[in-house]
Amino acid sequence: MSPSMNPRTRRASVAALGVTLTLAAALTLIPGAQAQPATTVRLGFFPNLTHAPALIGLQRGTFQKAFGSAKLDARQFVSGTTLTEAFAAGQIDIAYVGPGPAISAAGRGMPVQFIAGASEAGAVLVARKDSGITSYKELAGKTVAVPSLGNTQDISLRHILGEQGLKSTADGGNVTIVPIPPSDTPAAFAGKRADAALVPEPWGAVLEAQGNKVVGSEKTVWRNGKYPTTIVIVNTKFAQANPALVTAFLKAHTDAVAFLTKNPAAAQTAVNAQLEKLTGEKVDLRVLQRALSRTRFTTALDLDALKDYAALNVEAGYARTAPDLAPFVRK
């Protein structure tokens, strides 16, 4: 790799090389792995409110019921970056993931299909109460946390910085971007390891309830809040070998979204119970209500928004070109 290569190009090249090698190894190791109907469905998701349809499906047992005799193997991840690494290695069949990592997976040749929407908006930028940050411009010289480098919030943050004439330190600027799992951000704020964080809900509302300040609402992060935060993807080979399981999953996913929108009180209780199981923390219901008010749940895929996100992926330096996404969207 040339020493003169700029940081953005280097970031894209290293990321692409790593995933390509992982994918190549995976495809070598699992030829014909889905030749027979699956006896286990491996589902990836995050313990975030933006993945609430997954939390509902797990808490109410509707995913396992939909799969019948096939066993559900639900695996939680802290970010889309780590999830797509597992997806590339053939360890995940269906997943809830942010559009950034999903688009990167498509652009790097992974066998992926986008099969449904899950949530929109639901991410805020929160400044530590003693950080002195009251606007995006004042992120200059500060440390900002994101769930992981290359994930959806990281890509959104880099776009916000660009609009303010700012850059990350990796790109020659003075904003330090650090990866911190969302559920760990309260501790990071307490230890002054981050001045601000762009996090998915409910962790933004949790930080706010602790006296920290929301500097960027879900509407000012991007596109007036009309953008996908979580979509559902499936391994193409798994889908081809197991169409009935994919159809059953989509019905359960649709039921979970309907439950969230039509039964908000019961949904809050179910989501909170699942979050407590996964993270060991129970969110105050008033905090959860605030987080839910910033998040929309849907099964629809907004292809125009996904195309715009692909352009942000290039802008952030995580891809050289934006792929044509139409072939990856399941009809």
Side-chain angles (χ1 to χ4, degrees), residues 183-209:
S183 60
D184 292 345
T185 51
F189 272 31
K192 297 190 176 183
R193 291 185 286 117
D195 302 301
L198 182 51
V199 288
E201 296 291 6
W203 308 109
V206 168
L207 290 170
E208 186 181 12

Side-chain angles (χ1 to χ4, degrees), residues 249-259 299:
F249 168 80
L250 283 173
K251 184 181 183 305
H253 170 64
T254 300
D255 289 347
V257 170
F259 186 75
T299 60

Side-chain angles (χ1 to χ4, degrees), residues 260-324:
L260 280 159
T261 56
K262 295 177 181 178
N263 304 280
Q268 287 173 27
T269 300
V271 166
N272 214 6
Q274 190 62 212
L275 283 173
E276 186 175 16
K277 285 181 185 177
L278 297 168
T279 67
E281 295 183 35
K282 192 170 186 177
V283 181
D284 183 279
L285 284 178
R286 290 170 297 182
V287 174
L288 194 58
Q289 287 168 1
R290 180 177 293 174
L292 281 165
S293 72
R294 297 170 178 161
T295 312
R296 291 187 302 278
F297 301 102
T298 179
T299 60
L301 280 169
D302 186 338
L303 186 56
D304 287 338
L306 289 173
K307 288 177 179 177
D308 287 348
Y309 226 109
L312 293 192
N313 213 18
V314 175
E315 177 186 272
Y318 288 114
R320 291 196 180 99
T321 59
D324 177 10

Side-chain angles (χ1 to χ4, degrees), residues 153 212 222 265 287 322:
Q153 281 74 50
N212 301 296
W222 190 51
V287 174

Side-chain angles (χ1 to χ4, degrees), residues 141-177:
K142 304 294 186 178
T143 298
V144 186
V146 293
S148 73
L149 300 182
N151 93 311
T152 298
Q153 281 74 50
D154 176 38
I155 293 167
S156 298
L157 175 61
R158 292 174 193 275
H159 179 65
I160 289 169
L161 295 180
E163 288 186 322
Q164 301 299 319
L166 301 173
K167 295 180 181 179
S168 72
T169 53
D171 293 325
N174 65 351
V175 180
T176 302
I177 301 176

Side-chain angles (χ1 to χ4, degrees), residues 39-41 43 54 56-74 245 248-249 252-253:
T39 57
T40 299
V41 181
L43 176 69
I56 292 290
L58 292 171
Q59 181 65 21
R60 301 181 73 218
T62 50
F63 288 154
Q64 182 58 79
K65 183 178 179 181
F67 294 145
S69 61
K71 179 185 176 183
L72 171 64
D73 179 5
L245 286 175
F249 168 80
H253 170 64

